[in-house]
């Protein structure tokens, strides 16, 4: 029904009377209250969960994330370490893309470009793209309940790992990872 043609306004459709006004004010007060989070969720944060290689699951806490991009063609850069997948255009600026699979020495599997993504993250004044094989979505975690990192052949520096969530997802510490001298460009 077109209320403008019939001369009615939207406010004329609202209930009238003292009882209706009281109910509307009560509802307005209830809606204005802050939403209480359950106590179990107060210490929980979110991370993006992704796969590297055939089965290994990793995560990056949201505090470092900027966005997730579809994998677009990467321009190879000569003379850089093998874990630098290349550079890509991100809204007119070059973004260095690191291949986490190569960086961590994860066995190479055929990469499905339909599932691959670039996670854009910032830490320590650096913004990089992280090439991953598949993004599952996000998941909550309690930082106080993470398990200690296990020794690994692929991740030689345990400071790169914030902890293990649920015994299967390795949460990365991007402050430590991106501060590693092997990732720094130096001019000699």
């Amino acid at each position: 029904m077109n209320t403008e043609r019939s001369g009615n306004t939207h406010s004329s459709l609202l209930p009238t009377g003292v009882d209706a006004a009281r109910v509307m004010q009560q509802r307005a007060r209830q809606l204005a209250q802050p939403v209480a989070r359950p106590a179990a969720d107060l210490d929980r944060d979110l991370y993006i969960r992704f796969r590297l290689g055939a089965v290994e699951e990793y995560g990056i806490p949201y505090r470092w994330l900027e966005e997730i991009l579809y994998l677009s063609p990467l321009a190879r850069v000569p003379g850089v370490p093998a874990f630098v997948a290349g550079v890509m255009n991100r809204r007119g600026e070059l973004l260095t893309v690191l291949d986490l699979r190569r960086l961590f020495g994860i066995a190479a599997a055929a990469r499905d470009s339909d599932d691959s993504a670039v996670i854009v993250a910032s830490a320590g004044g650096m913004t990089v793209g992280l090439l991953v094989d598949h993004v599952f979505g996000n998941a909550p975690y309690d930082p106080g309940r993470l398990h200690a990192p296990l020794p690994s052949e692929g991740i030689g520096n345990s400071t790169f790992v914030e902890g293990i969530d649920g015994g299967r997802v390795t949460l990365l510490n991007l402050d430590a990872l991106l501060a590693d001298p092997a990732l720094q460009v130096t001019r000699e």
Side-chain angles (χ1 to χ4, degrees), residues 47-50 57-59 146 163-171:
Y47 66 88
I48 192 76
R49 190 170 64 96
F50 56 91
E57 291 186 32
Y58 289 83
L146 293 176
I164 310 295
D165 183 43
R168 71 175 205 268
V169 180
T170 303
L171 292 183

Side-chain angles (χ1 to χ4, degrees), residues 86-107:
V87 294
M88 67 184 288
N89 183 343
R90 179 181 177 226
R91 292 185 291 284
E93 297 203 6
L94 288 181
L95 177 70
T96 301
V97 178
L98 306 177
D99 186 342
L100 289 181
R101 196 168 61 183
R102 286 188 176 195
L103 181 65
F104 297 151
I106 297 171

Side-chain angles (χ1 to χ4, degrees), residues 25-80:
Q25 288 174 348
Q26 183 182 19
R27 287 180 183 168
R29 280 193 299 278
Q30 287 175 338
L31 291 172
Q33 296 298 315
V35 177
R37 289 175 56 192
D41 287 347
L42 290 178
D43 293 331
R44 296 178 73 80
D45 289 328
L46 288 174
Y47 66 88
I48 192 76
R49 190 170 64 96
F50 56 91
R51 179 178 48 79
L52 295 176
V55 296
E56 294 191 35
E57 291 186 32
Y58 289 83
I60 298 174
Y62 267 40
R63 67 181 170 273
W64 289 304
L65 295 182
E66 287 192 14
E67 66 182 314
I68 299 172
L69 303 172
Y70 291 109
L71 181 60
S72 61
L74 298 174
R76 299 282 302 145
V77 179
V80 297

Side-chain angles (χ1 to χ4, degrees), residues 125-140:
M126 233 172 35
T127 300
V128 297
L130 304 169
L131 180 58
V132 301
D133 292 311
H134 179 76
V135 174
F136 295 111
N138 60 29

